[in-house]
Amino acid sequence: MEIAEFYCRNVAVLLPVLLVLLLVVLPSANNRKARSVGSAAAAAAAAPPTDPSDCDLLGCGGIYECYGNGWVNYLPYRAGERYNIPLSAFHAGASTQQGQPECLLGTANNYLPWVTEDGRLTVRPGPHALDLSSLRLSDHGVQGLVQGVSALIPLEEVLHLSIARNELTLVPSPTLKKFQNVRLLSLSGNFFTEFSNDTAEHNRLPLLTKLRVLDMRNCSLRTLPEAFFRNVNLEYLFLSHNRITTLPAEIFYPLRGLLHLDLSNMDTRRTGEERIENPFMKLIAGVDLHQDIFFPLISLVFLDLSNTRLEYQAFIALRSVQRRVKYVSYCNIGLPAIVDYLFVSKKIAMLDISYNVGVAQSLHSASFALLADSLEVLYFKDSMVQQLNWLVPLQRLRVLNLRGNILRMLQRESFANLTHLEQLDLSYNYISAWNQQILTTTTALQSVNLRNNSIVILTTDMLYDFSRLSAMGLGGNTIQCSCNYVKFLRNILHNRTDVAGAYTISAEPLIVGRRGSGTISNKLSLQHVQLFDYEESEYLCMNFTSNQKLDPLELQDCMIPEDELINSEIPEEGEDEPAHAKNHTLVYILVSVAVSFLILTGVGLFYYWFHIKYFFKIMKNSAVLSFFNDEKLYLDKSGLLKEADFHYDVFVSYSNADRSWVLDHLLPNMEGVSQINLCLHERDFEVGYGILENIISCMDRSRCLMLIVSESFLLSHWCQFEMHLAQHRLLETRRDELILVLLEDIPRRKCPKTLSYLLKTKTYIKWPTKSVNEQALFWKRLHKTLLTSKV
């Protein structure tokens, strides 16, 4: 009765589906019957040959024909080969794709050629492919439809199955049991929001030993049961565009053969929840991962986490990524820093860490040292990168994309080791012109993108660097009208190439060699270089005098006759040599003396710079004190008298970097325990008076002076002034109450004369950082000293 009701309710959907299946399946069934009558040899001869190396997992090759889903296929042509991810330094448009940041590894559509975006199969119709997508079927509807289809075709022959974009709320595990040999399965676009004990049979996939690819994108998943993958051995798993906020620690234990994992584009927005672990961090929601969650994936080669924000403590899970991983995208995951455990897999060949604005602050010369022998492609876009000294170890790098950062200057040393670099994207930065050739060692470099930077002039060194390229982009820069720029663009409109949007630069040669002793003069040519982004409006030059943009090809000032420019030579060696020999010798001598003097002066400044700087600081402080040495300066003149009453027990001088130690340790142990009244500048300085007046007045009204000494203290101008002033005031008032507290060891080379003198003449006390017992003794000694002074 229930089955009858089901068919009545869904007759409008089921009849067209069954008709299509009959048209597809019956001819195949008749063919199978005819083949059974013939001999086995004839059947073998009629079947197309099957190559085991063909990638049947993708629905193409061998006996399968795949029409593709309209997306570029990034998958390897054969198992174990490299992925076919296209690389280009030429992106003239915006950095985002449909509102999402554009990341290196693309989207899941690039790795699922056998299924379209709306869930339809793209493989050749037949008994091996069953498409039940976009039928708006419920859980019972799918179960009933599959039961009806089983009467028409043997379900064990189905290798490609799509139940995408229906209205399922439970994983159809009982139904999937009937497809024992299915290899590619798509359940995308359903609504699997809840997993409960009442529906235990739906909380895990059935035993499908042949299943290799599972597509569960956009299924509203918030988590998965721990045993969900226990009965399958997947190679490709797609979980992107879900709402997963956490995953069980052992979820991937059965997937030791997994090669490809897509956890990208998780929508982790939460309602009614706030993160308060660290109030100074941005309040964002993210995926919470166990620290060892990737540990079982020993075969993993491809990991995509792009556009999936991680919880702050979840980043430690990235250290469990196994050593075979080659393709990694941490694009826009909120990565806070570059640390070594990110690169435990020293085989990473392609890495995307774009759109992580906190990473740049932690970059140093060894940040990518672990990837020196493997990394070939690095995308580091829109991440506030300011300097490039971290490039030095990456000797195998072939493609580098630094689009949309805040780079300002390029240094030759940054590119010195990049001998294999082929493509470089530096667009949308703030790079200005350079006056030394920076690409002398990048012999393999073919294309550079310098669009939308701050290049104002074209120097000859820049033209030398450009002459090594085959393609480049320079549009969007405000370049000054100059002869170099005219030479750069001359004849450009008459030399359009066959490449769409590309033009050949036919600039006049620049002289790079000499003629002498049989050597022919070499000339620099840009005729082989192509502009991929040429538009007349973007290549106008700026006349800063008139503040107008002009067409550089129409400028008359640089129209030098062709023969005169091309045939000009550098004078040969030996010409007019007797007349200038003496002058040259004299110049060499003067230059040598000047250079020697500068070297000696520099060495002297290097070794004695600290003393020189401190001498001038003492002179400045003394001048300030003598200038303000007036009775009108003191807010309380009684402080000058030794027997006067004091408002404070201790005046504390400290650096702002040591503020937390003063507030968390010193203040509670003094005022909270011993009732010793401290004078702190941020609390006790009187409003409306100058800083200098407050310092002198509070020192005079304090029984003791305490200096909290650290390296930060010595770097502070006010702290050094207070130290100098303390010595000066103690001598002037004939007092001897000065306490030195050392928070850390001060190197001898950083210790100024005043502090050295005080350390030699005053007893100081050092803060113990490790032992609690020693800290208790520290406070006991300090209490005793201050209480004795107070009595």
Side-chain angles (χ1 to χ4, degrees), residues 546-783:
S546 61
N547 198 27
Q548 292 181 344
K549 288 189 175 181
L550 306 175
D551 186 349
L553 301 177
E554 296 180 359
L555 296 180
Q556 299 299 321
D557 294 343
C558 293
M559 290 297 183
I560 304 172
E562 197 76 14
D563 292 339
E564 180 181 342
L565 179 65
I566 294 179
N567 296 326
S568 60
E569 303 289 348
I570 296 179
E572 296 183 3
E573 296 182 5
E575 184 178 333
D576 296 331
E577 184 175 353
H580 300 285
K582 294 183 179 180
N583 292 336
H584 290 169
T585 303
L586 180 60
V587 170
Y588 293 151
I589 293 175
L590 292 176
V591 170
S592 300
V593 172
V595 170
S596 301
F597 175 76
L598 291 174
I599 292 175
L600 293 175
T601 304
V603 171
L605 288 174
F606 176 79
Y607 282 101
Y608 297 101
W609 173 245
F610 186 82
H611 300 283
I612 295 172
K613 182 174 69 172
Y614 184 72
F615 171 76
F616 283 105
K617 193 170 294 184
I618 292 296
M619 294 295 294
K620 182 188 73 173
N621 292 343
S622 299
V624 172
L625 289 175
S626 63
F627 180 77
F628 284 100
N629 192 13
D630 193 298
E631 291 188 358
K632 293 185 293 182
L633 176 65
Y634 307 109
L635 305 181
D636 186 358
K637 299 178 183 179
S638 64
L640 296 172
L641 304 177
K642 185 176 180 65
E643 63 275 7
D645 294 332
F646 295 102
H647 291 75
Y648 307 101
D649 294 319
V650 184
F651 175 85
V652 184
S653 175
Y654 60 93
S655 166
N656 190 55
D658 304 321
R659 179 175 180 270
S660 59
W661 185 88
V662 172
L663 298 181
D664 296 341
H665 296 279
L666 182 64
L667 189 61
N669 281 281
M670 294 295 101
E671 294 187 349
V673 176
S674 304
Q675 302 299 318
I676 295 174
N677 189 16
L678 303 182
C679 178
L680 306 179
H681 66 82
E682 57 187 276
R683 181 185 68 179
D684 299 308
F685 277 14
E686 296 190 23
V687 179
Y689 292 92
I691 297 178
L692 183 61
E693 293 176 295
N694 270 303
I695 291 175
I696 296 178
S697 175
C698 289
M699 280 188 176
D700 290 339
R701 291 185 293 165
S702 301
R703 180 173 286 104
C704 293
L705 306 180
M706 180 183 294
L707 305 182
I708 310 299
V709 182
S710 65
E711 289 196 30
S712 300
F713 181 91
L714 299 179
L715 294 175
S716 170
H717 295 297
W718 278 113
C719 291
Q720 291 211 25
F721 179 79
E722 290 176 355
M723 179 175 62
H724 183 69
L725 180 60
Q727 185 184 27
H728 178 81
R729 299 302 293 157
L730 290 177
L731 293 175
E732 184 175 306
T733 57
R734 298 181 180 180
R735 291 157 51 192
D736 196 30
E737 293 85 2
L738 178 63
I739 299 173
L740 297 174
V741 177
L742 268 64
L743 292 185
E744 56 188 351
D745 293 327
I746 306 298
R748 183 176 179 181
R749 60 185 179 83
K750 294 184 178 180
C751 191
K753 295 296 183 182
T754 301
L755 181 60
S756 297
Y757 173 77
L758 294 176
L759 291 175
K760 292 177 181 178
T761 57
K762 301 291 182 182
T763 302
Y764 60 87
I765 184 170
K766 185 177 178 182
W767 169 250
T769 58
K770 298 181 179 180
S771 174
V772 177
N773 295 331
E774 292 181 1
Q775 292 180 5
L777 180 61
F778 170 89
W779 295 121
K780 184 176 180 181
R781 293 181 59 194
L782 193 58
H783 288 161

Side-chain angles (χ1 to χ4, degrees), residues 340-354:
D340 287 347
Y341 67 69
L342 291 175
F343 309 132
V344 172
S345 172
K346 298 181 182 180
K347 295 184 179 180
I348 296 178
M350 300 180 67
L351 174 65
D352 190 348
I353 52 175
S354 304

Side-chain angles (χ1 to χ4, degrees), residues 137-155:
L137 297 176
S138 64
D139 297 305
H140 293 293
V142 169
Q143 184 178 0
L145 179 58
V146 170
Q147 184 175 352
V149 170
S150 63
L152 301 176
I153 63 172
L155 299 184

Side-chain angles (χ1 to χ4, degrees), residues 412-671:
R412 178 186 300 174
E413 294 76 15
S414 302
F415 302 94
N417 294 334
L418 305 185
T419 55
H420 294 86
L421 189 65
E422 299 172 8
Q423 298 185 26
L424 176 63
D425 191 342
L426 295 169
S427 58
Y428 293 90
N429 279 275
Y430 300 91
I431 298 171
S432 56
W434 55 89
N435 290 310
Q436 62 170 346
Q437 298 177 47
I438 62 174
L439 304 178
T440 55
T441 59
T442 55
T443 54
L445 190 61
Q446 299 176 4
S447 57
V448 173
N449 189 351
L450 287 167
R451 287 180 50 79
N452 293 88
N453 276 279
S454 301
I455 298 175
V456 178
I457 61 173
L458 281 186
T459 65
T460 304
D461 287 309
M462 295 172 70
L463 295 181
Y464 272 76
D465 284 334
F466 296 161
S467 70
R468 299 181 173 92
L469 307 176
S470 59
M472 64 174 296
L474 200 61
N477 289 282
T478 306
I479 301 180
Q480 181 183 9
C481 297
S482 65
C483 289
N484 271 354
Y485 194 49
V486 172
K487 287 184 284 187
F488 182 77
L489 290 179
R490 183 172 292 178
N491 298 327
I492 193 170
L493 298 180
H494 304 290
N495 293 278
R496 184 168 183 174
T497 67
D498 295 333
V499 180
Y503 295 81
T504 301
I505 298 174
S506 181
E508 294 80 2
L510 297 175
I511 302 167
V512 296
R514 294 176 179 270
R515 173 174 294 178
S517 65
T519 303
I520 301 176
S521 175
N522 298 318
K523 297 180 185 293
L524 176 65
S525 175
L526 297 170
Q527 295 181 2
H528 58 282
V529 183
Q530 293 181 349
L531 291 178
F532 73 89
D533 65 337
Y534 181 78
E535 287 186 13
E536 183 178 352
S537 60
E538 292 199 350
Y539 278 84
L540 298 177
C541 65
M542 175 65 75
N543 186 332
F544 291 99
T545 303
S546 61
N547 198 27
Q548 292 181 344
K549 288 189 175 181
L550 306 175
D551 186 349
L553 301 177
E554 296 180 359
L555 296 180
Q556 299 299 321
D557 294 343
C558 293
M559 290 297 183
I560 304 172
E562 197 76 14
D563 292 339
E564 180 181 342
L565 179 65
I566 294 179
N567 296 326
S568 60
E569 303 289 348
I570 296 179
E572 296 183 3
E573 296 182 5
E575 184 178 333
D576 296 331
E577 184 175 353
H580 300 285
K582 294 183 179 180
N583 292 336
H584 290 169
T585 303
L586 180 60
V587 170
Y588 293 151
I589 293 175
L590 292 176
V591 170
S592 300
V593 172
V595 170
S596 301
F597 175 76
L598 291 174
I599 292 175
L600 293 175
T601 304
V603 171
L605 288 174
F606 176 79
Y607 282 101
Y608 297 101
W609 173 245
F610 186 82
H611 300 283
I612 295 172
K613 182 174 69 172
Y614 184 72
F615 171 76
F616 283 105
K617 193 170 294 184
I618 292 296
M619 294 295 294
K620 182 188 73 173
N621 292 343
S622 299
V624 172
L625 289 175
S626 63
F627 180 77
F628 284 100
N629 192 13
D630 193 298
E631 291 188 358
K632 293 185 293 182
L633 176 65
Y634 307 109
L635 305 181
D636 186 358
K637 299 178 183 179
S638 64
L640 296 172
L641 304 177
K642 185 176 180 65
E643 63 275 7
D645 294 332
F646 295 102
H647 291 75
Y648 307 101
D649 294 319
V650 184
F651 175 85
V652 184
S653 175
Y654 60 93
S655 166
N656 190 55
D658 304 321
R659 179 175 180 270
S660 59
W661 185 88
V662 172
L663 298 181
D664 296 341
H665 296 279
L666 182 64
L667 189 61
N669 281 281
M670 294 295 101
E671 294 187 349

Side-chain angles (χ1 to χ4, degrees), residues 197-467:
N197 294 330
D198 297 335
T199 57
E201 62 178 347
H202 298 274
N203 290 352
R204 69 175 66 176
L205 293 171
L207 183 61
L208 300 173
T209 57
K210 301 292 184 64
L211 186 62
R212 294 295 178 264
V213 183
L214 176 61
D215 175 19
M216 292 189 69
R217 297 173 293 158
N218 197 23
C219 288
S220 301
L221 295 171
R222 297 187 181 277
T223 187
L224 285 172
E226 182 177 308
F228 189 77
F229 300 113
R230 182 168 296 176
N231 297 321
V232 294
N233 184 22
L234 299 174
E235 293 185 359
Y236 292 79
L237 175 59
F238 300 89
L239 295 173
S240 61
H241 292 92
N242 281 290
R243 300 179 182 178
I244 295 175
T245 57
T246 184
L247 286 172
E250 300 179 358
I251 184 70
F252 295 135
Y253 266 63
L255 303 182
R256 296 182 178 273
L258 193 68
L259 302 175
H260 185 115
L261 177 59
D262 186 348
L263 293 173
S264 63
N265 296 283
M266 292 296 174
D267 182 2
T268 55
R269 290 175 293 180
R270 302 178 182 176
T271 57
E273 298 184 22
E274 292 183 354
R275 292 176 54 189
I276 58 174
E277 299 93 342
N278 188 341
F280 298 102
M281 291 186 60
K282 187 178 180 181
L283 296 178
I284 57 172
V287 179
D288 188 14
L289 300 176
H290 188 270
Q291 62 180 6
D292 295 326
I293 192 168
F294 299 115
F295 184 76
L297 304 178
I298 58 176
S299 302
L300 194 66
V301 174
F302 181 106
L303 175 62
D304 190 355
L305 290 171
S306 56
N307 299 316
T308 294
R309 307 292 289 188
L310 298 184
E311 289 281 355
Y312 182 70
Q313 294 181 345
F315 289 104
I316 199 170
L318 302 181
R319 73 178 182 180
S320 64
V321 176
Q322 292 298 294
R323 299 179 181 272
R324 293 188 60 186
V325 171
K326 294 183 179 180
Y327 308 90
V328 178
S329 178
Y330 296 146
C331 172
N332 193 33
I333 66 172
L335 190 68
I338 293 292
V339 289
D340 287 347
Y341 67 69
L342 291 175
F343 309 132
V344 172
S345 172
K346 298 181 182 180
K347 295 184 179 180
I348 296 178
M350 300 180 67
L351 174 65
D352 190 348
I353 52 175
S354 304
Y355 307 98
N356 294 295
V357 294
V359 168
Q361 302 301 322
S362 65
L363 289 175
H364 54 86
S365 58
S367 292
F368 296 91
L370 293 178
L371 302 181
D373 297 328
S374 65
L375 191 62
E376 296 183 0
V377 180
L378 175 62
Y379 273 40
F380 205 166
K381 303 186 296 184
D382 293 271
S383 299
M384 305 294 286
V385 177
Q386 304 180 52
Q387 47 83 19
L388 299 178
N389 65 342
W390 48 271
L391 281 174
V392 174
L394 301 178
Q395 301 180 17
R396 297 179 60 86
L397 201 62
R398 294 175 47 242
V399 178
L400 176 62
N401 194 321
L402 295 169
R403 178 189 180 95
N405 287 290
I406 53 176
L407 296 170
R408 298 183 182 276
M409 297 294 297
L410 300 180
Q411 304 290 336
R412 178 186 300 174
E413 294 76 15
S414 302
F415 302 94
N417 294 334
L418 305 185
T419 55
H420 294 86
L421 189 65
E422 299 172 8
Q423 298 185 26
L424 176 63
D425 191 342
L426 295 169
S427 58
Y428 293 90
N429 279 275
Y430 300 91
I431 298 171
S432 56
W434 55 89
N435 290 310
Q436 62 170 346
Q437 298 177 47
I438 62 174
L439 304 178
T440 55
T441 59
T442 55
T443 54
L445 190 61
Q446 299 176 4
S447 57
V448 173
N449 189 351
L450 287 167
R451 287 180 50 79
N452 293 88
N453 276 279
S454 301
I455 298 175
V456 178
I457 61 173
L458 281 186
T459 65
T460 304
D461 287 309
M462 295 172 70
L463 295 181
Y464 272 76
D465 284 334
F466 296 161
S467 70

